[in-house]
Amino acid sequence: AQSVSQHNHHVILSEAASLELGCNYSYGGTVNLFWYVQYPGQHLQLLLKYFSGDPLVKGIKGFEAEFIKSKFSFNLRKPSVQWSDTAEYFCAVKGYGGSQGNLIFGKGTKLSVKP
Amino acid sequence: EPEVTQTPSHQVTQMGQEVILRCVPISNHLYFYWYRQILGQKVEFLVSFYNNEISEKSEIFDDQFSVERPDGSNFTLKIRSTKLEDSAMYFCASKGQTWVTDTQYFGPGTRLTVL
């Protein structure tokens, strides 16, 4: 069965610090990968996605993620975080095996950015 | 920008009661989903719906759950006899016509509290 692991439950950073949130998935076939963000009191919004091509994907608000197939990873990065990046971040995978169409989510990483 | 909307934002019910959670997907979307997130846990897939029928469901989606698209705009999730463990945030999502590449857009969620 597919699964997604996000290793950091809660990350606390100061403004301007660099961010990297880990995401690993278990699925041997072709995958689509996503990062969603949930700001306090708001709904899940897509940050970025990977389907094919360049493994370095750029998303909104200065975020990027790198798909490393050999490591089954899709880590999220941002060189300099802002207070407004405080939110919960979810990695998700959609596979092309028996389970198609639905997203498998990680547990989420809560990011707190101190001003 | 089109959005997925959900009503109500918060539903409180007594154990054993029936609840209906409502969603209005983005108007030209064809694939519809329900997910739930129990407090402190990951977002979990419940069911996907396409062409007026369930295309996939998880083991969570037992006989107590049902989905319906009663008209051209609403997509509902019904829980027939709620249990305490059904307390969660329920998210509706919809996706456009291209199955492979389109992104799922999420609604703001309905917080269900079962007493």
Side-chain angles (χ1 to χ4, degrees), chain B residues 10-11 19 21 43 52 63-64 72-73 77 83 85 99 106:
Chain B
H10 191 187
Q11 172 95 46
V19 294
L21 309 183
V43 177
N52 280 324
D63 292 344
Q64 293 300 311
S73 59
L77 174 69
K83 304 187 284 283
E85 54 264 37
W99 180 85
F106 284 79

Side-chain angles (χ1 to χ4, degrees), chain B residues 22 55 83 86 88 94-95 98:
Chain B
R22 291 183 166 80
S55 48
K83 304 187 284 283
D86 293 328
S94 71
K95 186 167 71 67
T98 305

Side-chain angles (χ1 to χ4, degrees), chain B residues 18-21 61 64-68 76-80:
Chain B
E18 175 183 286
V19 294
I20 297 176
L21 309 183
F61 194 87
Q64 293 300 311
F65 291 87
S66 63
V67 289
E68 203 175 36
T76 61
L77 174 69
K78 183 194 290 186
I79 308 175
R80 288 190 185 82

Side-chain angles (χ1 to χ4, degrees), chain A residues 30-33 49-58 65-69 74, chain B residues 101:
Chain A
T30 303
V31 291
N32 291 348
L33 296 156
K49 61 186 179 184
Y50 171 80
F51 285 101
S52 63
D54 189 344
L56 185 61
V57 179
K58 295 197 184 299
E66 185 175 12
F67 169 52
I68 303 178
K69 190 174 180 180
F74 190 56
Chain B
T101 60

Side-chain angles (χ1 to χ4, degrees), chain A residues 24 41 57 60 66 74 76 111:
Chain A
N24 288 90
V57 179
I60 60 171
E66 185 175 12
F74 190 56
L76 181 71
L111 173 66

Side-chain angles (χ1 to χ4, degrees), chain B:
Chain B
E1 187 176 323
E3 289 183 338
V4 177
T5 59
Q6 289 184 244
T7 55
S9 56
H10 191 187
Q11 172 95 46
V12 181
T13 190
Q14 295 290 325
M15 190 170 59
Q17 294 297 303
E18 175 183 286
V19 294
I20 297 176
L21 309 183
R22 291 183 166 80
C23 169
V24 179
I26 294 172
S27 64
N28 62 347
H29 282 186
L30 300 178
Y31 298 86
F32 313 111
Y33 307 84
W34 282 102
Y35 293 82
R36 78 170 185 191
Q37 184 181 26
I38 295 171
L39 188 64
Q41 298 187 25
K42 62 174 71 177
V43 177
E44 300 172 292
F45 167 74
L46 292 178
V47 66
S48 59
F49 192 86
Y50 171 71
N51 200 24
N52 280 324
E53 60 183 21
I54 291 174
S55 48
E56 189 171 9
K57 59 183 180 179
S58 72
E59 57 195 26
I60 302 169
F61 194 87
D62 61 23
D63 292 344
Q64 293 300 311
F65 291 87
S66 63
V67 289
E68 203 175 36
R69 189 154 161 81
D71 52 42
S73 59
N74 289 285
F75 178 51
T76 61
L77 174 69
K78 183 194 290 186
I79 308 175
R80 288 190 185 82
S81 178
T82 49
K83 304 187 284 283
L84 294 176
E85 54 264 37
D86 293 328
S87 293
M89 195 77 165
Y90 288 81
F91 295 103
C92 173
S94 71
K95 186 167 71 67
Q97 296 187 26
T98 305
W99 180 85
V100 173
T101 60
D102 273 9
T103 300
Q104 292 182 30
Y105 293 88
F106 284 79
T110 293
R111 181 168 297 286
L112 176 64
T113 302
V114 182
L115 303 175

